[in-house]
């Protein structure tokens, strides 16, 4: 790129719709903008994923600033490179804004540290599909599909690396035109930053090559979904792993057990944050290898929380690698809200010493509702409407996120639903595919 002329620096926020929106300024102003930010409007928070503005308590009033965070800054490549960063939304006085997703995630992570002296180490595992690619038999996990993708997958790995994300693996997934990208874990907020960037970079790199990737939760009501699986473990201030305990039958330390206990107890109440679109609930049905019940699974890919296998053989290696994954999540959500919801629920589990139900290794969809209840399991909400009712009716969620956030988010999602109310399921899938 030529060094002549103006260069712009873009700062983005991952909003309630799970999209990156933002503004740019001349790159030479970077230092000033890290102190003062760039102007932002409160009502922007109610711009739904379809751009219609949901009911807003702010109207045309108020002012905020979007402040770039140096730790997220990198140079986005492509035909026209760009100085890029993620930022926090703050008041003019510099306080975190109650509806800034990144600030909410930070607040939850700080609580975990206060309560348990623990830091989250997480890796978001993403599935996505290429739109307009005809299905081809024999393609699931196939070499041909991988080879087709190599021309964009390798530039994508380069783009991830340039953004400070360490790639772990890449593969052709099961579904038509479906792929999976896994990143190495990162500590604290950086894990959610990486997830937001991975989605942006996938669109940027593949879009630049004329492809149309989508992270929408499901493209076809009759097919498999695109999951987001969040792998998590814990370390203390010195980096010592806190997740594993060799004396527990499933290897869970008390911290891990209680954290998972909290997540599963409140899962139905936070689901509207984790799986926040109407079509998310087409995916969260039995036999799609996603999640349909509030269960803990031991190496079971139909559990909401799954205890993952480790390949290490030595105690130190096992302690370091040991992790669990949340599977009842998708990419219609901001990765910061995913993190905030999980961690607030997990911290509550730690505070109240909640034990999770015993891990399942059976098909829960075969049980009667009574048998399910006797085992301590619940079917997760089966629609966004139901999930929003549990969310907005939850005293605990209100305590974690604040009444203002819960009411605003509910109105946001109601506005999103209204925008597509007249469409059938296939058309709804198409709308979401366009956006995510
Ligand atoms: N596509 C599945 C989902 O919606 C996950 C398949 C897998 O286990 O990787 O979560
Ligand atoms: Mg997968």
């Amino acid at each position: 790129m030529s060094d002549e002329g103006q260069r712009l620096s873009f700062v983005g926020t991952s909003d309630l719709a799970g999209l990156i929106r933002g503004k740019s300024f001349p790159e030479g102003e970077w230092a000033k903008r890290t102190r003062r930010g760039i102007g932002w409007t409160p009502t922007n928070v109610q711009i739904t994923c379809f751009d219609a503005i949901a009911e807003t308590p702010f109207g045309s009033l108020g002012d905020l600033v979007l402040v770039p965070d140096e730790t997220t800054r990198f140079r986005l490549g492509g035909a026209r490179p760009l100085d890029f960063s993620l930022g926090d939304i703050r008041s003019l006085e510099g306080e975190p804004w109650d509806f800034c997703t990144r600030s909410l995630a930070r607040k939850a992570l700080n609580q975990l540290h206060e309560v348990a002296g623990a830091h989250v180490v997480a890796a978001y595992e993403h599935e996505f599909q290429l739109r307009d690619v005809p299905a081809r038999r024999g393609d699931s996990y196939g070499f041909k599909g991988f080879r087709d993708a190599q021309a964009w997958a390798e530039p994508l790995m380069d783009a991830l690396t340039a953004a400070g994300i360490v790639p772990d693996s890449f593969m052709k997934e099961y579904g038509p035109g479906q792929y999976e990208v896994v990143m190495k874990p990162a500590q604290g907020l950086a894990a959610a930053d990486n997830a937001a960037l991975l989605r942006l970079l996938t669109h940027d790199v593949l879009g630049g090559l004329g492809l149309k990737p989508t992270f929408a939760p499901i493209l076809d009501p009759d097919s498999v979904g695109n999951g987001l699986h969040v792998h998590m473990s814990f370390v203390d201030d010195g980096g010592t792993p806190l997740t594993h305990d060799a004396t527990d039958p499933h290897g869970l330390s008390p911290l891990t057990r209680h954290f998972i206990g909290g997540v599963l107890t409140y899962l139905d109440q936070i689901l509207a944050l984790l799986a926040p679109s109407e079509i998310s609930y087409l995916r969260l049905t039995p036999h799609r290898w996603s999640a349909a019940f509030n269960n803990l699974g031991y190496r079971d890919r139909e559990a909401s929380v799954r205890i993952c296998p480790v390949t290490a053989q030595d105690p130190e290696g096992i302690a370091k690698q040991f992790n669990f994954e949340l599977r009842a999540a998708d990419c219609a959500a901001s990765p910061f809200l995913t993190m905030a919801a999980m961690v607030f629920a997990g911290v509550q589990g730690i505070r109240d010493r909640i034990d999770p139900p015993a891990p399942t290794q059976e098909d829960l969809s075969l049980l009667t509702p009574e048998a399910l209840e006797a085992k301590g399991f619940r079917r997760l909400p089966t629609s966004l409407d139901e999930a929003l009712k549990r969310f907005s009716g939850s005293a605990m969620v209100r305590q974690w996120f604040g009444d203002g956030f819960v009411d605003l988010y509910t109105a946001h999602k109601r506005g999103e639903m209204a925008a597509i109310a007249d469409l059938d399921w296939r058309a709804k899938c198409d709308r979401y595919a366009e956006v995510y």
Side-chain angles (χ1 to χ4, degrees):
M1 192 184 78
S2 146
D3 275 340
E4 288 162 31
Q6 276 286 3
R7 288 186 182 192
L8 291 170
S9 186
F10 184 95
V11 52
T13 173
S14 167
D15 67 6
L16 295 198
L19 297 173
I20 303 278
R21 302 190 208 251
K23 287 189 175 180
S24 73
F25 49 82
E27 198 179 337
E29 289 186 5
W30 170 265
K32 184 186 102 183
R33 296 292 182 180
T34 57
R35 292 191 305 275
R36 294 209 215 137
I38 187 160
W40 198 248
T41 309
T43 278
N44 284 3
V45 78
Q46 290 303 66
I47 301 178
T48 65
C49 66
F50 304 121
D51 288 333
I53 300 179
E55 193 184 301
T56 166
F58 309 111
S60 55
L61 302 176
D63 285 289
L64 298 160
V65 281
L66 177 57
V67 186
D69 182 340
E70 176 89 58
T71 66
T72 66
R73 188 182 189 193
F74 70 100
R75 192 157 283 276
L76 182 60
R80 184 100 201 161
L82 175 71
D83 185 47
F84 184 97
S85 60
L86 292 171
D88 293 328
I89 305 176
R90 302 208 184 132
S91 68
L92 297 182
E93 292 74 39
E95 292 301 315
W97 194 44
D98 289 350
F99 312 110
C100 167
T101 63
R102 197 161 180 266
S103 304
L104 284 163
R106 189 185 286 111
K107 184 174 164 189
L109 291 166
N110 287 344
Q111 279 187 12
L112 176 67
H113 190 248
E114 274 162 35
V115 169
H119 302 274
V120 164
V121 175
Y124 290 59
E125 177 183 323
H126 287 83
E127 292 173 345
F128 65 92
Q129 276 168 289
L130 297 181
R131 298 167 66 200
D132 307 334
V133 170
R136 181 171 60 187
R137 281 183 233 289
D139 220 12
S140 300
Y141 303 103
F143 175 71
K144 276 197 265 177
F146 166 79
R147 195 79 170 132
D148 290 345
Q150 202 183 341
W152 53 259
E154 286 172 353
L156 175 59
M157 299 301 125
D158 287 340
L160 294 175
T161 308
I165 301 168
V166 188
D168 176 274
S169 53
F170 171 79
M171 66 169 193
K172 172 72 189 67
E173 247 289 357
Y174 177 80
Q178 190 178 39
Y179 291 88
E180 176 177 303
V181 193
V182 188
M183 56 173 81
K184 298 276 190 221
Q187 190 170 315
L189 204 56
D193 288 340
N194 288 351
L197 295 177
L198 181 138
R199 298 171 203 178
L200 178 129
L201 293 169
T202 304
H203 277 287
D204 199 70
V205 172
L206 275 66
L209 295 169
L211 297 163
K212 289 194 217 163
T214 180
F215 291 85
I218 195 163
L219 299 196
D220 171 349
D222 299 324
S223 189
V224 292
N226 293 309
L228 173 70
H229 306 159
V230 187
H231 290 259
M232 293 184 87
S233 58
F234 307 107
V235 293
D236 68 12
D237 288 340
T240 303
L242 300 173
T243 328
H244 187 254
D245 182 343
T247 64
D248 179 79
H250 297 99
L252 308 179
S253 69
L255 167 73
T256 309
R257 229 175 46 236
H258 295 142
F259 187 97
I260 294 174
V263 170
L264 292 176
T265 298
Y266 296 108
L267 188 57
D268 62 329
Q269 295 156 53
I270 56 173
L271 201 62
L273 294 168
L274 305 175
S277 72
E278 279 204 68
I279 62 167
S280 298
Y281 296 83
L282 298 175
R283 171 180 165 255
L284 294 179
T285 46
H287 309 139
R288 275 179 212 270
W289 289 34
S290 58
F293 303 90
N294 66 332
N295 63 322
L296 172 62
Y298 187 63
R299 301 181 183 175
D300 173 359
R301 288 185 174 76
E302 287 232 348
S304 284
V305 174
R306 179 175 86 114
I307 304 168
C308 300
V310 286
T311 51
Q313 303 291 336
D314 59 306
E316 217 174 290
I318 293 170
K320 203 164 169 230
Q321 233 188 50
F322 191 71
N323 70 91
F324 59 93
E325 68 173 343
L326 174 86
R327 299 173 66 86
D330 65 51
C331 291
S334 161
F336 298 101
L337 289 182
T338 309
M339 179 69 89
M342 253 177 354
V343 174
F344 277 135
V347 167
Q348 197 65 45
I350 295 167
R351 285 192 212 272
D352 297 341
R353 308 184 69 77
I354 302 175
D355 274 319
T360 51
Q361 278 184 304
E362 64 178 316
D363 184 350
L364 296 182
S365 71
L366 301 176
L367 301 184
T368 62
E370 297 74 38
L372 203 59
E373 205 183 309
K375 286 177 183 254
F377 296 119
R378 276 192 302 266
R379 177 73 173 89
L380 295 177
T382 55
S383 67
L384 181 57
D385 177 59
E386 191 189 339
L388 283 172
K389 285 180 183 147
R390 305 260 184 110
F391 169 74
S392 62
S394 166
M396 206 48 107
V397 169
R398 286 183 176 273
Q399 199 173 306
W400 304 331
F401 283 90
D403 285 328
F405 179 86
V406 172
D407 294 338
L408 188 92
Y409 184 81
T410 305
H412 181 116
K413 286 289 147 183
R414 294 278 173 210
E416 177 181 322
M417 288 163 78
I420 52 167
D422 297 337
L423 304 181
D424 64 19
W425 283 112
R426 200 163 284 273
K428 286 183 186 188
C429 288
D430 288 347
R431 284 291 164 87
Y432 280 105
E434 208 179 293
V435 170
Y436 293 103

